[in-house]
Amino acid sequence: MMMVIMKLVLLVFAICRLIATVGLTLDPTELLRLELKGQLSLDPSDVETASVDFGRMHRAEPWGVLHPATGADVSRLVKSAYESTHGFAVSARGHGHSINGQAMTANGVVVQMSDGKPGMQRNIVVSQESMYVDVWGGELWIDVLSSTLEYGLAPKSWTDYLYLSVGGTLSNAGISGQAFNHGPQITNVFELDVVTGKGEELTCSEESNSELFHAALGGLGQFGIITRARIALEPAPQMVRWIRVLYSNFSAFTHDQEYLISLHGHQDSQKFDYVEGFVIVDEGLINNWRSSFFSPKNPVKISSLNVNGDGGSVLYCLEVTKNYRESDADTIDQEVEALLKKLHFIPNTVFTTDLPYVDFLDRVHKAELKLRSKGLWEVPHPWLNLFVPKSQIAEFDRGVFKGILGNKASGPILIYPMNKNKWDNRTSVVTPDEDVFYLVALLRSALDNGEETQTLEYMSDQNRRILKFCKDAGIKMKQYLPHYTTQQEWIEHYGEKWTQFYRRKMEFDPRHILSTGQRIFKPSFNPSSASW
C-alpha cells in the first residue's frame, strides 16, 4: 500500500512539475483518477521514444506515455480527454514505424500499444474451427504468425515487414505481394474492438456497429484506437519457391505483372501466390538489403546481361512465389515452368531459391539486422508511397524512374499492381478509380556520408518533384501512408469520400482528440503550434 501511495505522490509531483514547466492548463487529477491496470509513465526515456519515429524527420514530445494492460485502460484515458474541460490529444503508437510523425503529439498522451519486442505476446486466441485469430491491437505480426503456425495456420495477407503492429497496419491498409489475390489486410478482418474518440470501447463487424468497423479500417486512427482484431486464417504452406526475373522493357514488365494478377480467380496450381516487382536504377540496388536474394559471393551485374531495352540503364525485376507443402514438391517445377513460359523477361535471367514459408515472410527482418549492425537503420527515411492508376503507369515510368530519379537510389523502389475488386470501398482508404492500380514505393534512407544524392534534403526535394510531376501531368495518383500539412490537401486526397470521412469523424471523435499527428482535423482544445 505504501508503495502505491509513493507512486501516486511521485506522479502528482511529475505532472505538476510538467505543468509548471510548459504551462499546461490541466488538472492533474484528470489523469490520476483513471484507475489504470497498466502504467501512465512520465519517464524521460519513455517520452523520448514516443517523440520520434522510423521516419526520423519529425519530433514532438508528449506529456506522458500510457502502457495499457487492457482495452479498458485505453478507454479510460480517451474518455478522460473527451470529458476534460481543457482537453488533450491521444495518439496510438505501435512499433513506431510512421514516417511523418503521424503517431506523435505534443499536446497529450501517446498510447504505447506495442513495446516492439517479439515474443511479448498477450492472449492470442486461435480458432481452428472458424479459421481466425483474436489478437491485441499492439501485437506484432511476427508474433501472430508464430502463434497461428502452432495450429498449421497463418493469416492470408501480409506486409513485407512483420515487425509492425496489427492495429497500425489495419489503420492504413496492410499490403504486400499477396494483395492481388487476397486483398489488403483490412479486407481479411472479421471483427474489431475499437475505442472511439468518446472513450467508448465497442465491438464492431460487418453486422454490428458496421459504420465504425469500416471507418476504423484504413482510417489512420481518426475514428478510434483498435484494441483487438479478429483476423482471417488459411492453412499455412511449409515451403516457398521464390523466383526473380529481369526486364529491360517496361511495357513487357507491366504486361506480365498485370497478366499474373488477372489469374487471381484460378486454381492455386495455375497462379503464383505472390506478385511484386522493383525498379533497378543503378547496379547497387540489385544486390542491396531489400533485394538480398542473390548470393553475395556471386552478385548479379547489370553490365553482364547485355541488356538493350527501352530503359537505358533502368531494369525491372519481377518477384513471384509459389507456396507448397513438402509432399507436393514434385509438382512445383511443372507449375512454375508453365507460368514462366507465358512471360516475356530477359532470357537467362531466372533466379530461384527455395526456403521455408516463415523465412520468406520474415526476409526483411534479416536485412534490418544487417543494417542495424552497420548503424544504417536509425537514419531518416523520406519514404514516398503512391497508388498510380494502370492507365498512367507508363507515363510515371518515363517521368520518374527514367527522369527525376536519374541513376541513383538509396533504397528499394517497389512497383506492383493490385486488383481494385479486392479492396472494400466501404473502408476509409482511397485508391485510384481504375480496375488495376500500382503501388509505387520509394523506400529510401538518407545518409550523412558526404554524397549529395544521399542526403535528406536531396531526397525530400526529389519527392516534391515527383508529386509536382504527377500533378502537372494529370496523373490521378493517391498517396498511401499519406502525409499532408493542410486540411484542403486532405479534402483533395479523399475526394468524393471526404463527406463520409468528415461525418464519421464528427460521429466517433467530435472533439478531434485522436491522431492529431495526421494533421487532418484541428483539435478543439487549441493546441500549440508545436503539433499543428
Side-chain angles (χ1 to χ4, degrees), residues 258-327:
E258 289 163 18
Y259 164 71
L260 291 176
I261 72 165
S262 75
L263 304 177
H264 64 87
H266 290 218
Q267 296 179 0
D268 289 346
S269 62
Q270 299 174 343
K271 64 185 177 184
F272 284 117
D273 296 289
Y274 166 101
V275 177
E276 279 199 13
F278 58 92
V279 183
I280 305 163
V281 298
D282 67 45
E283 191 158 294
L285 266 182
I286 200 168
N287 301 295
N288 82 345
W289 71 272
R290 173 57 177 78
S291 309
S292 54
F293 176 88
F294 310 107
S295 169
K297 296 180 180 177
N298 186 28
V300 174
K301 293 186 178 297
I302 295 176
S303 56
S304 69
L305 298 175
N306 295 318
V307 173
N308 291 304
D310 65 355
S313 62
V314 179
L315 285 182
Y316 310 92
C317 181
L318 172 65
E319 184 175 41
V320 293
T321 70
K322 204 84 174 66
N323 299 337
Y324 64 96
R325 301 190 68 79
E326 291 178 345
S327 58

Side-chain angles (χ1 to χ4, degrees), residues 396-414:
F396 188 94
D397 169 61
R398 289 190 294 271
V400 177
F401 301 147
K402 299 187 180 88
I404 293 173
L405 294 181
N407 63 352
K408 289 293 182 182
S410 179
I413 304 170
L414 305 187

Side-chain angles (χ1 to χ4, degrees), residues 3-78:
M3 183 65 69
V4 172
I5 293 173
M6 286 298 296
K7 285 184 177 180
L8 285 174
V9 170
L10 289 173
L11 187 57
V12 170
F13 174 76
I15 292 175
C16 290
R17 182 179 176 185
L18 185 62
I19 291 171
T21 301
V22 300
L24 300 176
T25 54
L26 173 68
D27 181 352
T29 61
E30 291 181 13
L31 297 179
L32 294 176
R33 67 187 178 208
L34 295 181
E35 299 181 1
L36 303 169
K37 291 186 178 180
Q39 179 190 15
L40 180 62
S41 171
L42 299 176
D43 186 278
S45 63
D46 276 349
V47 171
E48 174 62 24
T49 298
S51 300
V52 295
D53 60 15
F54 182 67
R56 294 193 173 268
M57 296 182 291
H58 298 267
R59 181 178 180 83
E61 289 190 11
W63 301 348
V65 178
L66 173 64
H67 298 273
T70 64
D73 281 354
V74 181
S75 176
R76 290 188 182 102
L77 176 69
V78 177

Side-chain angles (χ1 to χ4, degrees), residues 126-352:
V126 176
S127 173
Q128 289 180 278
E129 181 180 356
S130 300
M131 298 289 281
Y132 69 72
V133 57
D134 273 327
V135 298
W136 169 249
E139 202 68 69
L140 299 184
W141 283 102
I142 184 65
D143 288 330
V144 177
L145 177 63
S146 297
S147 296
T148 59
L149 283 178
E150 294 178 9
Y151 300 86
L153 303 172
K156 296 179 178 181
S157 189
W158 294 98
T159 58
D160 283 342
Y161 182 59
L162 302 189
Y163 288 70
L164 303 172
S165 70
V166 169
T169 65
L170 295 183
S171 294
N172 287 280
I175 52 178
S176 185
Q178 303 90 356
F180 83 94
N181 197 28
H182 295 296
Q185 291 181 318
I186 56 173
T187 61
N188 292 277
V189 179
F190 295 137
E191 189 176 272
L192 299 172
D193 284 347
V194 177
V195 174
T196 71
K198 299 176 183 178
E200 303 168 307
E201 187 173 23
L202 301 174
T203 298
C204 54
S205 64
E206 291 273 7
E207 295 77 29
S208 175
N209 295 312
S210 61
E211 186 76 10
L212 177 60
F213 180 69
H214 294 119
L217 293 171
L220 306 178
Q222 290 299 306
F223 313 105
I225 297 173
I226 297 171
T227 57
R228 178 186 65 89
R230 178 168 290 180
I231 299 158
L233 301 176
E234 65 177 357
Q238 293 175 316
M239 299 293 293
V240 169
R241 172 72 55 84
W242 188 7
I243 305 151
R244 285 179 174 175
V245 295
L246 298 177
Y247 294 75
S248 60
N249 183 286
F250 187 73
S251 297
F253 172 67
T254 54
H255 173 275
D256 285 358
Q257 287 202 62
E258 289 163 18
Y259 164 71
L260 291 176
I261 72 165
S262 75
L263 304 177
H264 64 87
H266 290 218
Q267 296 179 0
D268 289 346
S269 62
Q270 299 174 343
K271 64 185 177 184
F272 284 117
D273 296 289
Y274 166 101
V275 177
E276 279 199 13
F278 58 92
V279 183
I280 305 163
V281 298
D282 67 45
E283 191 158 294
L285 266 182
I286 200 168
N287 301 295
N288 82 345
W289 71 272
R290 173 57 177 78
S291 309
S292 54
F293 176 88
F294 310 107
S295 169
K297 296 180 180 177
N298 186 28
V300 174
K301 293 186 178 297
I302 295 176
S303 56
S304 69
L305 298 175
N306 295 318
V307 173
N308 291 304
D310 65 355
S313 62
V314 179
L315 285 182
Y316 310 92
C317 181
L318 172 65
E319 184 175 41
V320 293
T321 70
K322 204 84 174 66
N323 299 337
Y324 64 96
R325 301 190 68 79
E326 291 178 345
S327 58
D328 301 325
D330 293 341
T331 65
I332 289 300
D333 290 343
Q334 293 88 340
E335 292 177 8
V336 168
E337 184 178 357
L339 285 164
L340 291 181
K341 273 185 178 179
K342 297 183 179 181
L343 305 184
H344 305 87
F345 50 85
I346 302 170
N348 303 316
T349 64
V350 180
F351 305 92
T352 303

